[in-house]
Amino acid sequence: MTTAAKLLAQKQQLLERLQEDPGPNERAEIERLLQQIDTALNLLDAGGAGGSGEEPD
């Protein structure tokens, strides 16, 4: 699984947790993690890594 795919999977899990109506502290933590994932995805995209983010063999 590529780095981008892993990040997208984590993002999906966090979005699902948000739909479960978490408490304010958990909501803040989830939103913080979502921001980190979005930043990482943007960096991967800007770096032209082709979405893999993995070293070739």
Side-chain angles (χ1 to χ4, degrees):
M1 184 179 277
T2 66
T3 300
K6 289 177 186 176
L7 289 168
L8 289 170
Q10 289 176 347
K11 183 175 181 175
Q12 182 61 38
Q13 289 176 343
L14 291 170
L15 290 172
E16 289 171 4
R17 283 176 56 190
L18 272 180
Q19 291 178 350
E20 296 171 1
D21 195 30
N25 291 338
E26 186 177 0
R27 176 175 291 276
E29 177 67 10
I30 290 169
E31 290 173 351
R32 184 185 67 79
L33 292 169
L34 286 169
Q35 287 178 341
Q36 287 182 341
I37 290 170
D38 285 340
T39 299
L41 288 169
N42 288 336
L43 289 172
L44 279 175
D45 191 39
S52 74
E54 296 180 357
E55 294 292 323
D57 289 328

